[in-house]
Amino acid sequence: MKSIFRTFLLILIISFNETSLAEKPPSSIAQGFFFGVGVGPRLPIGNFSTTTDVGYGFNLEFSYTDNEFLPVFLYTTIGYEQYPGLQSFYRETDYSNFHTNTLPVNFGVRYYFPPLAENIVLFMPILQVSGSYTYFQKLHEFKPGRGRTNFLEENSKFGFSVGGGISMFMLELLASYNFFESNQYITFDLKVRIPVFISL
């Protein structure tokens, strides 16, 4: 019960705007560490979509904030994503199987805007931006009799991600645009967040 009460207090701190914090500085530092799990579809766009179908992915997130820089959170995520090949791509080429696996690691900042509604549940718009390092693994398998050798392609790329959504703090809906050279895609995540440690 005590931890729930502390979580509620931190949510109230987040809902304050910068003016109210400036008018009445907090007497102590409130800090919070949070763990989140997100899952959802991945939508390839641009060149990536010419060979790749809609995929799926999940991620684990660790985030931190304190009342020195609220409503900003620092976060890092590590995830796993898989994208199957398009059926039309198989019909038009020598491929019998083509899919892409990725392991993205993101480091970024998230900003929580003032709540749109707070009578029962806090609905807060959020905006986030991050740098990203992603490991790509692509399986190339070809139809028998085509004289081509199957192989596994591996590389890594640096990119960035920009996204936004709605947060109910413990539950979030997020959409993000992810850019890598030759690999752009949009992610949709339903994310559950739980406090790991809160100090008030």
Side-chain angles (χ1 to χ4, degrees), residues 41-44 52-56 82-86 186:
R42 284 21 183 175
L43 178 64
T52 306
D53 208 344
V54 175
Y56 66 89
Q82 186 174 91
Y83 302 86
L86 284 171
I186 296 174

Side-chain angles (χ1 to χ4, degrees), residues 18-191:
E18 294 179 0
T19 302
S20 63
L21 287 174
E23 291 173 352
K24 188 177 180 181
S27 58
S28 62
I29 295 179
Q31 298 175 321
F33 290 90
F34 302 87
F35 172 74
V37 179
V39 62
R42 284 21 183 175
L43 178 64
I45 57 177
N47 291 336
F48 195 26
S49 66
T50 61
T51 59
T52 306
D53 208 344
V54 175
Y56 66 89
F58 68 89
N59 56 68
L60 306 178
E61 177 187 294
F62 299 91
S63 57
Y64 166 81
T65 192
D66 65 42
N67 59 6
E68 295 291 321
F69 52 86
L70 278 170
V72 173
F73 276 59
L74 305 178
Y75 72 91
T76 182
T77 63
I78 181 168
Y80 171 81
E81 300 170 346
Q82 186 174 91
Y83 302 86
L86 284 171
Q87 290 300 315
S88 59
F89 177 68
Y90 297 148
R91 290 194 297 267
E92 297 168 1
T93 67
D94 292 339
Y95 278 87
S96 62
N97 187 14
F98 176 81
H99 70 256
T100 302
N101 297 327
T102 70
L103 295 174
V105 179
N106 289 29
F107 299 92
V109 294
R110 179 179 298 121
Y111 183 86
Y112 287 78
F113 291 91
L116 297 176
E118 49 187 324
N119 293 333
I120 300 176
V121 179
L122 291 176
F123 287 93
M124 295 176 286
I126 55 178
L127 182 66
Q128 65 182 31
V129 60
S130 68
S132 182
Y133 169 82
T134 297
Y135 167 76
F136 288 84
Q137 185 183 74
K138 298 182 181 181
L139 176 64
H140 301 259
E141 291 185 346
F142 302 98
K143 298 169 184 174
R146 301 302 172 94
R148 304 188 65 175
T149 304
N150 300 334
F151 66 97
L152 188 65
E153 176 187 356
E154 298 176 292
N155 61 8
S156 58
K157 300 178 182 181
F158 288 95
F160 67 87
S161 174
V162 178
I166 293 291
S167 173
M168 292 161 275
F169 199 73
M170 303 294 283
L171 185 67
E172 293 180 350
L173 297 172
L174 292 168
S176 300
Y177 168 72
N178 302 268
F179 176 86
F180 299 91
E181 184 181 358
S182 301
N183 294 95
Q184 293 92 48
Y185 56 95
I186 296 174
T187 63
F188 299 93
D189 278 306
L190 174 64
K191 182 164 292 187

